[in-house]
Amino acid sequence: MFRPVAPVKDLLSGKSEHLYAAPDGGLWLLTDQGAVRFSPDGTGPVVSTAGVGAPVGVDAAGRIWAVGEDQAAISAWDGAAWTRYGTEAGWTPLDEAESWYRYVGWGQGDAAGRFWLPTSADVRFFDGARWTAFTPAEMGMEEDEERDLILDLVLTIPESTGQVWVGACLWSGPGPFGGWGARWFDGRTWRGAESPVASGCVNRIVEDANGRIWLGADTDLWRYDPSSEDWTQFAPPEEPPFGFLRFGSITTLALPPSGEAWVAFLLCGGASCDTEAFYRLRDGVWDLVMEEPLIGRHTLAFDPSGDPWLFAEAVYRIREDGIEMIAPLYAQSAAVDSAGQIWFTAWYRGQNRLWTLDWE
């Protein structure tokens, strides 16, 4: 059922590969050293980012954005040349941030053509000429005095509204330590400071087929209807049946067209939070999907028939009557393109390969 496309090293050098399904139907494979695009017409040219930085996103115009290791500037590849944007263009070097932990997350473009990026210090966007940054305080988040916590900001731009949603989670040691909740930008101001999700660890925000926004705040699952501005809360399942382990936060949230919610809860116990428990929420009832916790982080994807696939230390197919391990392929990353095709990278016979799922 799996077709190897090519060894990753034959396409790109580098590591920490990332698969990105572009809205135009293309699929991007990116590493910390370059990027290559796949399309129905074939494979595009390899763009090396060596000496420029690690890719942090591809915008609606197809530009590749990369940030240097010192994070003092950001550069964009337009297909012909790199353009560097530094402080003269509004980019704020992250070495000026107070936090000792600095990063630039994966970006996303909005309907207005702006390119948004979450960082360890703020959320910023490029309007075609300059960068503008919003600090957590400017987004209406109450920053804690204690800054030895690691701040993780996530960003989602729902297609139905075009609003920019941001979630904030704080981490200390092995697991989550609360957070500053979620906010959303309506084009003029940041909203959400008075919402039920104004606080808590928010690290997953997803839009469903009906345009509703789902997110996890600590261990609670919430659903927001933009048309009515109503919030619906789904309390977590009972304590996990895994001995002394407890729920930490929601780490995976997938919403197939069927209307169910598939959720992975981080499990914590003792001095570690390194396993997850998968559940399905259907008609308000939680069902445990796997009888044993899974180690590490995982990706859940749905094929065109609606069947869920779990990419972890192996590839699993989930059916109503149980879970079947299909192949002993340890997936590193996975994505679903606009045609519903599933792609993933995984090691096989000593090589890290790009694979696709021939689901029919």
Side-chain angles (χ1 to χ4, degrees):
M1 303 179 75
F2 305 102
R3 176 167 52 88
V5 177
V8 172
K9 69 178 182 61
D10 289 354
L11 300 170
L12 293 171
S13 59
K15 55 184 179 180
S16 303
E17 68 268 8
H18 179 87
L19 288 175
Y20 167 65
D24 65 0
L27 178 88
W28 289 84
L29 171 64
L30 306 101
T31 71
D32 57 357
Q33 295 291 313
V36 61
R37 185 181 188 273
F38 296 85
S39 71
D41 299 328
T43 303
V46 174
V47 178
S48 173
T49 63
V52 180
V56 293
V58 179
D59 64 18
R63 290 178 297 188
I64 303 169
W65 291 88
V67 175
E69 186 176 356
D70 60 3
Q71 300 166 340
I74 187 170
S75 300
W77 172 262
D78 62 5
W82 286 99
T83 301
R84 184 180 185 274
Y85 300 93
T87 55
E88 77 287 348
W91 179 265
T92 304
L94 290 181
D95 57 7
E96 297 179 3
E98 296 180 2
S99 174
W100 61 270
Y101 179 74
R102 296 186 295 271
Y103 72 92
V104 178
W106 185 258
Q108 187 176 351
D110 65 13
R114 296 172 296 195
F115 184 66
W116 292 78
L117 277 175
T119 79
S120 54
D122 50 41
V123 169
R124 53 188 69 179
F125 71 87
F126 182 72
D127 63 5
R130 291 188 58 82
W131 285 90
T132 300
F134 295 101
T135 65
E138 290 171 328
M139 290 185 286
M141 296 178 176
E142 296 183 5
E143 298 192 48
D144 295 335
E145 294 287 338
E146 189 65 52
R147 283 314 304 259
D148 61 350
L149 300 175
I150 296 175
L151 172 62
D152 183 21
L153 293 174
V154 296
L155 183 146
T156 298
I157 304 178
E159 293 183 6
S160 60
T161 65
Q163 296 176 337
V164 179
W165 282 72
V166 174
C169 187
L170 296 170
W171 297 81
S172 175
F177 202 79
W180 302 331
R183 303 290 186 272
W184 59 98
F185 186 64
D186 62 9
R188 294 176 298 176
T189 185
W190 288 95
R191 302 176 56 193
E194 305 298 327
S195 74
V197 294
S199 63
C201 172
V202 176
N203 52 29
R204 289 295 180 272
I205 306 174
V206 181
E207 179 186 23
D208 68 15
N210 297 314
R212 298 173 300 186
I213 310 301
W214 294 70
L215 58 88
D218 290 331
T219 58
D220 287 329
L221 180 64
W222 289 87
R223 185 182 67 205
Y224 174 69
D225 189 337
S227 61
S228 63
E229 298 188 349
D230 290 334
W231 289 91
T232 302
Q233 180 183 16
F234 301 93
E238 297 181 357
E239 287 299 310
F242 305 126
F244 62 91
L245 296 176
R246 59 178 174 80
F247 292 129
S249 65
I250 291 176
T251 54
T252 298
L253 176 56
L255 305 171
S258 61
E260 303 169 338
W262 293 74
V263 177
F265 291 89
L266 183 66
L267 297 176
C268 299
S272 65
C273 297
D274 56 5
T275 57
E276 292 178 335
F278 272 87
Y279 286 83
R280 176 177 57 189
L281 178 67
R282 182 166 51 184
D283 298 327
V285 178
W286 292 102
D287 293 321
L288 183 64
V289 175
M290 299 191 73
E291 298 299 329
E292 297 292 334
L294 292 174
I295 298 175
R297 303 292 185 266
H298 311 88
T299 300
L300 192 67
F302 296 85
D303 64 28
S305 67
D307 286 339
W309 292 77
L310 181 64
F311 297 89
E313 76 284 353
V315 179
Y316 300 89
R317 191 171 191 172
I318 305 175
R319 299 181 180 274
E320 287 291 336
D321 57 353
I323 296 176
E324 179 184 8
M325 196 273 280
I326 301 297
L329 297 171
Y330 198 139
Q332 306 297 306
S333 59
V336 182
D337 65 21
S338 59
Q341 188 73 21
I342 296 178
W343 303 77
F344 64 99
T345 59
W347 285 86
Y348 180 71
R349 293 184 176 178
Q351 286 188 319
N352 187 22
R353 301 170 182 262
L354 175 66
W355 302 76
T356 188
L357 171 64
D358 291 329
W359 68 279
E360 293 180 327

